[in-house]
Amino acid sequence: THDIEEAIFMASRVVVFTRRPGRIKSEVPVDLPHPRPYTIKTSPEFMDIKARLTEEIRAESMAAAEH
């Protein structure tokens, strides 16, 4: 998926890729309990993972824009 929240909610890890040629930039573990209630999306742990992934993707987007 390209949806950060969906990836965190469903996965045990999220992989962020670089711009072309699309190599793995980072693997972020999602250490949240299963099953995950929908309300977990407002927890501090969820928000921390979302912020980390958002920054990883933002940095990669900025690097791609420079080339």
Side-chain angles (χ1 to χ4, degrees), residues 7-50:
I8 299 166
F9 187 73
M10 295 178 63
S12 57
R13 67 185 175 131
V14 178
V15 178
V16 177
F17 288 87
T18 63
R19 59 186 170 80
R20 290 195 168 112
R23 294 193 172 93
I24 294 175
K25 178 179 180 176
S26 64
E27 289 186 44
V28 178
V30 179
D31 295 324
L32 299 171
H34 284 280
R36 295 181 182 147
Y38 189 78
T39 55
I40 202 162
K41 291 183 176 189
T42 59
S43 72
E45 297 83 6
F46 190 98
M47 298 304 286
D48 287 346
I49 297 168
K50 183 178 176 182

